[in-house]
Amino acid sequence: QVQLVESGGGLVQAGGSLRLSCAASGRTLGRFAMGWFRQASGKEREFVASINWNGGSTIYADSVKGRFTISRDNAKNLMYVQMNSLKPEDTAVYFCAADSSITAVPSYRPRNYDYWGQGTQVTVSS
């Protein structure tokens, strides 16, 4: 069993930056693909970014490409997303997720992930 806890959310002005962290406990994340998703009020959960087990492969949603950077530190069992040039439309609850399948590669599909955190709120003011 894996427990995921997000942190680093908050209120920031448009154009600002935040770094979200995802801490894992229960099992090492070393071989898991990981992802970030977000859900704005009244909208469906959407993909943000994903990273493979060693950080060598990443994918991003078009809406965040060039502004967000996903990374991980397997030694610390942590995953991050650095969010720059934030826009009001980035306002959402951000979730981290882990895919424990043995062939895990970065994926934008929520159904591929079997562990989820509770989320952290990011609010970008205009």
Side-chain angles (χ1 to χ4, degrees):
Q1 194 71 9
V2 175
Q3 292 79 43
L4 301 175
V5 179
E6 303 91 341
S7 62
L11 174 64
V12 64
Q13 289 188 331
S17 298
L18 283 174
R19 187 177 80 156
L20 305 183
S21 299
C22 174
S25 60
R27 284 180 64 182
T28 178
L29 294 178
R31 288 291 179 175
F32 292 5
M34 303 286 294
W36 287 98
F37 291 78
R38 66 187 182 187
Q39 187 167 17
S41 180
K43 296 187 177 181
E44 293 187 354
R45 190 170 300 191
E46 66 173 2
F47 169 73
V48 174
S50 180
I51 188 168
N52 78 325
W53 72 276
N54 66 356
S57 179
T58 58
I59 56 173
Y60 295 91
D62 287 343
S63 59
V64 307
K65 203 171 292 184
R67 300 187 298 122
F68 290 14
T69 302
I70 189 172
S71 62
R72 64 191 296 164
D73 184 337
N74 288 343
K76 297 181 179 179
N77 244 17
L78 289 168
M79 179 183 64
Y80 308 98
V81 62
Q82 176 67 42
M83 306 186 296
N84 298 328
S85 302
L86 283 161
K87 305 175 182 179
E89 51 263 44
D90 294 318
T91 296
V93 177
Y94 283 71
F95 300 89
C96 67
D99 175 358
S100 65
S101 62
I102 195 168
T103 59
V105 295
S107 173
Y108 61 88
R109 296 187 175 92
R111 67 171 185 263
N112 285 10
Y113 296 86
D114 39 5
Y115 298 105
W116 292 82
Q118 294 299 306
T120 184
Q121 176 71 46
V122 171
T123 303
V124 184
S125 63
S126 57

